[in-house]
């Protein structure tokens, strides 16, 4: 039962984390085609390489809803970065939410009540990978489109999904 509650709480928290609230002032987020020079993920424009880095850096420079973190170097010596996309409030408390996730994952010394309270307070952190093999070009462009939509969208869900009740 606790596991089912945690899954529901994590799923709901994931929806909350990835669908940030409307910012106070509208931000101008550059469309991917303005950075790449073509509309991504169309059949005629699936280049073998995509300048994801430039696109993600432009998104981060234009919005407080995306944070780039360097996680090391690739085998080619290039910077390897990940993008965290959420509300500015959630991004400001990222270390707090990571701590909650770690406590729930380890579960050492947690009572059912404590675990449920942490699950209600926490936010799910969802990893979405845009492909890791050089020959997989569509996934890289899909990640650009997804990031753009998550950063630029001003919509807030109008109702709670049925699977959270």
């Amino acid at each position: 039962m606790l596991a089912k509650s945690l899954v529901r709480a994590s799923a709901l928290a994931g929806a909350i984390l990835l669908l940030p609230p409307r910012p106070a002032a509208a931000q101008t987020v550059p469309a991917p085609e303005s950075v790449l020079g073509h509309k991504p993920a169309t059949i005629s424009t699936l280049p073998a390489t995509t300048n994801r880095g430039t696109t993600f850096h432009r998104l981060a420079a234009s919005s407080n809803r995306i944070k780039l973190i360097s996680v090391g170097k690739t085998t080619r010596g290039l910077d390897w970065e990940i993008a965290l996309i959420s509300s500015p409030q959630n991004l400001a408390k990222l270390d707090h939410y990571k701590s909650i996730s770690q406590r729930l994952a380890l579960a050492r010394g947690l009572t059912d009540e404590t675990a449920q309270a942490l699950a209600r307070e926490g936010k799910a952190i969802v990893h979405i990978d845009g492909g890791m093999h050089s020959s997989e070009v569509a996934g890289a462009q899909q990640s650009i489109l997804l990031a753009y939509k998550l950063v630029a969208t001003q919509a807030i869900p109008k109702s709670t999904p049925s699977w959270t009740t």
Side-chain angles (χ1 to χ4, degrees):
M1 181 158 183
L2 175 59
K4 188 174 180 181
S5 296
L6 289 175
V7 168
R8 282 186 183 161
S10 294
L12 176 59
I16 292 168
L17 181 65
L18 290 177
L19 296 172
R22 226 175 285 228
Q27 299 172 0
T28 303
V29 177
E33 50 269 23
S34 73
V35 179
L36 297 172
H38 62 84
K39 186 172 181 166
T42 56
I43 295 296
S44 62
T45 59
L46 283 178
T49 61
T50 299
N51 196 346
R52 274 192 287 189
T54 300
T55 306
F56 277 86
H57 279 268
R58 292 271 303 273
L59 287 174
S62 69
S63 175
N64 60 358
R65 296 171 9 156
I66 179 171
K67 179 179 181 177
L68 299 178
I69 297 175
S70 178
V71 294
K73 296 282 185 183
T74 67
T75 56
R76 293 177 35 212
L78 303 172
D79 289 331
W80 183 8
E81 297 177 310
I82 59 171
L84 303 171
I85 301 171
S86 190
S87 70
Q89 298 83 6
N90 286 344
L91 291 174
K93 293 178 68 176
L94 182 62
D95 288 336
H96 176 68
Y97 295 130
K98 284 171 43 179
S99 173
I100 290 173
S101 293
Q102 288 173 336
R103 287 187 65 197
L104 288 170
L106 295 174
R108 289 189 187 114
L110 292 183
T111 64
D112 281 355
E113 294 78 24
T114 303
Q116 289 174 8
L118 287 170
R120 281 190 297 275
E121 181 184 353
K123 307 282 185 193
I125 299 171
V126 180
H127 173 193
I128 301 172
D129 196 303
M132 60 186 234
H133 301 109
S134 61
S135 61
E136 297 170 347
V137 296
Q141 293 199 16
Q142 177 276 335
S143 66
I144 291 170
L145 289 173
L146 177 61
Y148 170 73
K149 287 184 180 192
L150 290 173
V151 170
T153 297
Q154 302 298 311
I156 297 174
K158 297 199 184 309
S159 64
T160 303
S162 60
W163 47 263
T164 63
T165 55

